[in-house]
Amino acid sequence: MAGAVALHVGGDHAARFEGKAATRETPLVKWTIIGLALTFFAIFLLLPLLAVFVEAFRKGWETYLTALTDPDALSAVRLTLLAALISVPLNLVFGVAAAWAIAKFEFRGKHFLITLIDLPFSVSPVIAGLVFVLIFGAQGWLGPWLFDNDIKIIFAVPGIVLATVFVTFPFVARELIPLMQAQGKEEEEAAVVLGANGWQTFWYVTLPNIKWGLLYGVILTNARAVGEFGAVSVVSGHIRGQTNTLPLHVEILYNEYMFSAAFAVASLLAMLALVTLVIKNWIEYQAARSYRTTYGTSQQESAS
Amino acid sequence: MQRKSLLVGLFAAGLLNFSLAQAQTTLLNVSYDPTRELYQEFNPAFTKYWKGKSGQEVVVKQSHGGSGKQARSVIDGVDADVVTLALAGDIDAIAEKARLLPADWQKRLPLASTPYTSTIVFLVRKGNPKGIKDWGDLVKPGVAVITPNPKTSGGAQWNYLAAWEFAKRTYGSEAKAKEFVANLYKNVPVLDSGARGSTITFVERGIGDVFLSWENEAFLAVKELGPDKFDIIVPSLSVLAQPPVAIVDKNVDKKGTRQVAQAYLEYLYSEAGQEIAARNYYRPTLDKVAKKYAKQFPAVTLFTVDEAFGGWSKAKEVHFKDGGVFDQIFTRR
């Protein structure tokens, strides 16, 4: 999605732009636009975030802590982490493999593969959930067989993991494809000429090049896996302490008039989002730095 | 990286183990929306009772949602041991579509498997600014009525049938009743999928002038959010709502939980169970408890779906199936 953004090397470029009279705006225009942007930012992003924390602590620390240590809440945390812990590594491996194939090789059906990878982005999560119900539900294609063999997929933990894997499918691959395409395959070709086998080429040449983009993709995958609501809601069955993830738990608490508790759990998700953003920024910084040290400043001028 | 993902895998397996180790005798009660507080109180009471009686440790898990939606997920494979839904029709659907329990399930427990009853009342804003007294006031222009979607919510079907029967008795014909109900739904700005969603819409988001509500849900909203904000209006006629309970045979036999599931439902009929129901504003069926709590429940003229509509399966067939009366009046708006 934001592949190029991760590698932007802005900064001094903007200063040059500001410094010249021809490209400079009058202060009035400048400050009106900045003011508008900041107001918008405050109302639509900052205020909701603040509201979550204000509501969470409305009834004090004690309610806050009780809400978070409630057995059902803890089990929701556990299930959410489990879903993320399974879906992130799976999508990491898959994403790298897919991006590698798409960026470095030409083959028939490549565009079809790219479309397939994008599918979870274009399909509504509710439909994604329903698809699993249709396949694995008791009335679905595999339902009777699963019932006879005592295997539970939907309305149980495997279903939630499946739904999470599905909706987080494209993040890593989508992050890596433009990056790997931009890098080209010369370095890999050089490695092969020098006698490296496939695995060595990947490990010593490709992976170091895509390291930061990969991490960025993992972070996005993780954020979505933890926060997913729609698809998981359909396959969950909403059994407390068993198939409830954090976002579903927030909904339940809210519906039970426990508004403070709902916001307490929501604040946990919000904090996770904040941590994600911090890590994301750090990665972007690292990526920009490694880009600069690799290609030097003269390259950077022409790149930006 | 390989080693790292191996570690992650191990960690995940550990977590999974942990959640499996917790499994003991568990019952899953799939219920409808407004029973959350009722079973929150009832389940620990039953756990204690069962421990004393059999020495067995039992954990009761809950799932809540619109009654029709919950029935649907049991049909799709939620392995409920017992279902405690808003109306017999939804349990009939489970028997019919998934054959998880016999068609005559309602004969297996006393009082047509209905341990507690309720009715439909109106919740209005404090002081009743729109002057709503009876069903007839709901179709007036400018009155916004909140009720859930009869396609997914059991409570909404009771609302619908109560309005229909009122109109039939007042205006004298089925055709007039249909017109009345159609006009009523023209005044509905939002159709939530379950009763609790509608309650939140009305009390929290402040939408609507009157909320057609389960009696217990109305009492609870007043208790939770302050008697200074809402009034309960009792209409001249309402429906005797009978939310039934049943064991899901195929699931309990597979899990070996029939005995405890049976005891769980029977405990709802016991004095202790009836007390808990009454405390959560459900009308108890046991005489002794009913007398004790008589003052809590307003006197209403109640009719049953059996006498007015010839039973639930008939009412569902005529009014709520695809292309039924509700679909006709709702698509015409």
Side-chain angles (χ1 to χ4, degrees):
Chain A
M1 285 185 98
V5 180
L7 284 175
H8 256 314
V9 214
D12 26 320
H13 193 65
R16 203 188 61 191
F17 199 75
E18 270 283 281
K20 301 212 167 96
T23 48
R24 198 166 43 205
E25 295 292 347
T26 63
L28 180 70
V29 173
K30 192 166 112 184
W31 289 113
T32 320
I33 293 174
I34 291 180
L36 271 176
L38 281 181
T39 320
F40 190 82
F41 168 79
I43 293 176
F44 286 92
L45 295 173
L46 219 53
L47 206 67
L49 190 65
L50 265 177
V52 167
F53 286 96
V54 170
E55 281 294 327
F57 287 107
R58 174 154 290 179
K59 290 192 180 153
W61 268 103
E62 245 163 65
T63 328
Y64 187 82
L65 286 179
T66 338
L68 295 186
T69 48
D70 175 77
D72 283 353
L74 286 179
S75 118
V77 170
R78 238 181 351 251
L79 182 58
T80 302
L81 287 181
L82 177 71
L85 276 175
I86 296 178
S87 57
V88 171
L90 271 182
N91 280 328
L92 181 125
V93 172
F94 163 80
V96 171
W100 164 271
I102 287 169
K104 311 274 173 182
F105 300 94
E106 291 303 326
F107 54 92
R108 205 186 273 267
K110 186 161 145 176
H111 284 282
F112 182 64
L113 181 62
I114 298 178
T115 316
L116 264 189
I117 290 173
D118 277 340
L119 192 71
F121 273 157
S122 47
V123 166
S124 157
V126 177
I127 307 297
L130 279 177
V131 166
F132 288 114
V133 174
L134 285 179
I135 298 175
F136 299 111
Q139 312 298 313
W141 294 352
L142 302 177
W145 182 83
L146 291 172
F147 187 85
D148 292 340
N149 290 279
D150 211 4
I151 302 170
K152 287 221 56 106
I153 305 235
I154 55 161
F155 308 122
V157 177
I160 288 173
V161 172
L162 262 180
T164 312
V165 170
F166 182 85
V167 293
T168 54
F169 216 66
F171 285 98
V172 172
R174 264 284 146 208
E175 192 62 34
L176 290 183
I177 292 169
L179 177 64
M180 286 169 109
Q181 272 171 342
Q183 285 171 348
K185 42 193 172 192
E186 288 84 1
E187 291 188 26
E188 277 85 357
E189 279 165 356
V192 173
V193 168
L194 291 173
N197 63 28
W199 186 244
Q200 283 172 321
T201 313
F202 174 74
W203 201 248
Y204 294 110
V205 180
T206 310
L207 196 60
N209 274 340
I210 60 168
K211 184 167 61 183
W212 297 112
L214 184 62
L215 264 178
Y216 189 71
V218 164
I219 294 246
L220 287 181
T221 309
N222 185 55
R224 180 68 190 267
V226 169
E228 174 58 22
F229 180 85
V232 166
S233 170
V234 176
V235 297
S236 146
H238 303 276
I239 307 163
R240 288 127 201 266
Q242 205 168 315
T243 61
N244 247 346
T245 62
L246 272 181
L248 300 180
H249 191 60
V250 173
E251 190 202 22
I252 283 192
L253 289 173
Y254 185 76
N255 278 343
E256 285 174 5
Y257 302 109
M258 294 192 258
F259 303 120
S260 291
F263 281 104
V265 177
S267 78
L268 209 62
L269 284 169
M271 274 188 282
L272 197 87
L274 290 178
V275 170
T276 306
L277 285 180
V278 170
I279 300 178
K280 188 194 111 183
N281 275 328
W282 180 76
I283 288 177
E284 277 175 1
Y285 170 76
Q286 291 293 334
R289 217 177 57 168
S290 82
Y291 189 84
R292 229 172 279 145
T293 48
T294 320
Y295 293 98
T297 29
S298 60
Q299 280 263 341
Q300 186 213 325
E301 277 295 298
S302 60
S304 50
Chain B
M1 186 132 312
Q2 210 179 19
R3 199 185 303 141
K4 202 164 156 196
S5 35
L6 188 71
L7 272 178
V8 167
L10 276 177
F11 186 40
L15 270 171
L16 194 65
N17 261 336
F18 184 49
S19 47
L20 286 179
Q22 278 193 321
Q24 41 218 152
T25 311
T26 53
L27 276 188
L28 174 59
N29 176 3
V30 170
S31 194
Y32 64 112
D33 238 351
T35 55
R36 294 160 194 259
E37 289 74 16
L38 165 64
Y39 285 108
Q40 226 160 46
E41 191 178 346
F42 179 80
N43 289 346
F46 173 73
T47 304
K48 210 170 138 206
Y49 158 81
W50 187 246
K51 175 108 203 227
K53 198 178 164 205
S54 71
Q56 197 181 18
E57 199 78 56
V58 61
V59 176
V60 187
K61 303 262 183 205
Q62 285 292 140
S63 170
H64 295 278
S67 187
K69 192 174 128 211
Q70 293 292 80
R72 182 73 240 178
S73 46
V74 174
I75 291 170
D76 280 334
V78 169
D79 55 351
D81 299 276
V82 296
V83 283
T84 53
L85 295 179
L87 44 93
D90 286 330
I91 304 184
D92 281 341
I94 301 174
E96 194 184 302
K97 293 215 173 73
R99 313 216 168 277
L100 296 176
L101 66 171
D104 64 345
W105 59 272
Q106 210 164 3
K107 297 201 183 95
R108 297 189 298 184
L109 283 166
L111 303 166
S113 296
T114 312
Y116 43 76
T117 67
S118 190
T119 185
I120 301 297
V121 298
F122 303 164
L123 194 67
V124 297
R125 312 230 172 256
K126 190 75 198 173
N128 196 1
K130 297 264 167 141
I132 290 152
K133 295 270 177 304
D134 208 347
W135 292 98
D137 298 320
L138 301 181
V139 295
K140 287 184 180 158
V143 174
V145 182
I146 300 296
T147 172
N149 186 349
K151 289 279 179 179
T152 52
S153 158
Q157 298 190 4
W158 294 111
N159 294 346
Y160 173 102
L161 294 179
W164 187 283
E165 181 64 11
F166 166 84
K168 201 173 86 189
R169 290 193 190 182
T170 316
Y171 308 116
S173 77
E174 293 274 345
K176 288 270 171 55
K178 186 171 171 182
E179 197 188 318
F180 176 84
V181 175
N183 285 333
L184 196 160
Y185 276 92
K186 275 185 195 137
N187 278 348
V188 178
V190 221
L191 281 180
D192 288 289
S193 70
R196 187 53 64 88
S198 281
T199 313
I200 298 281
T201 297
F202 184 76
V203 302
E204 267 298 303
R205 291 166 50 202
I207 297 175
D209 303 305
V210 52
F211 170 38
L212 311 187
S213 168
W214 289 99
E215 182 182 50
N216 53 286
E217 188 75 355
F219 274 118
L220 185 74
V222 169
K223 185 183 116 184
E224 287 286 332
L225 300 147
D228 52 327
K229 286 188 187 143
F230 306 103
D231 285 331
I232 292 174
I233 304 289
V234 180
S236 63
L237 173 79
S238 196
V239 62
L240 176 70
Q242 296 161 298
V245 300
I247 287 185
V248 185
D249 294 62
K250 234 177 168 178
N251 291 343
V252 291
D253 288 344
K254 195 167 148 193
K255 295 202 274 183
T257 47
R258 179 178 281 278
Q259 205 192 353
V260 53
Q262 181 76 27
Y264 181 78
L265 294 186
E266 278 167 5
Y267 195 60
L268 281 169
Y269 289 88
S270 72
E271 200 181 328
Q274 293 281 301
E275 280 272 349
I276 292 172
R279 270 205 297 279
N280 287 282
Y281 310 112
Y282 283 85
R283 296 184 175 220
T285 49
L286 193 73
D287 274 346
K288 193 174 156 199
V289 183
K291 276 198 191 98
K292 187 173 158 195
Y293 284 88
K295 266 196 219 139
Q296 182 177 309
F297 300 102
V300 205
T301 316
L302 297 172
F303 70 89
T304 69
V305 169
D306 283 353
E307 65 192 39
F309 293 90
W312 261 107
S313 47
K314 212 173 152 206
K316 275 211 142 153
E317 183 68 21
V318 175
H319 292 280
F320 304 120
K321 70 161 198 202
D322 278 341
V325 177
F326 176 74
D327 278 348
Q328 294 163 26
I329 60 179
F330 204 68
T331 46
R332 269 194 326 187
R333 33 185 273 171

